[in-house]
Amino acid sequence: SDASQPRAVYLEMDRQGRLLVQGELATLETLEGHLREQARLQGTDVLQLRADAAVAYGDLARVMAAAQRAGLPRMAFVTEQP
C-alpha cells in the first residue's frame, strides 16, 4: 500500500440521492452504522465524499452529520469536472 495515500472510507451520493459506502448501497437510516463499521475496518477517521452536483444541500448536511457521529470527522470532497 502507498503510505502517501491515507486510508479513507469512500461515500458516493448520486443525483437520485442513493448512497454507496465502499460500493455498498446504504440509506440515510443505515448510513451511520455502515460508516462506523467501515471506519473500524479501514482504521481511519477520514471520509472521502463524492456527491453529484444535483444533491440537495439538506441531504448533504444529513450525510455529513452521520459521518461525524460515526467517527469520521475529517472529510475530503471529491469533485468531478463538469
Side-chain angles (χ1 to χ4, degrees):
S1 71
D2 182 3
S4 70
Q5 190 67 13
R7 284 188 207 186
V9 175
Y10 293 95
L11 172 62
E12 288 183 58
M13 293 180 75
D14 70 14
R15 63 178 52 234
Q16 283 79 36
R18 279 188 298 247
L19 300 166
L20 289 171
V21 177
Q22 300 290 118
E24 280 186 44
L25 207 54
T27 64
L28 274 172
E29 291 72 34
T30 64
L31 182 61
E32 189 180 334
H34 274 279
L35 292 175
R36 182 171 284 121
E37 171 77 355
Q38 287 299 326
R40 188 180 62 75
L41 290 173
Q42 305 293 328
T44 186
D45 66 348
V46 179
L47 179 72
Q48 281 212 345
L49 177 59
R50 181 189 301 270
D52 189 276
V55 170
Y57 180 77
D59 291 342
L60 199 53
R62 280 190 282 279
V63 164
M64 290 166 68
Q68 296 262 333
R69 291 192 303 271
L72 293 162
R74 297 167 59 203
M75 289 178 221
F77 290 89
V78 182
T79 55
E80 289 180 0
Q81 296 305 315

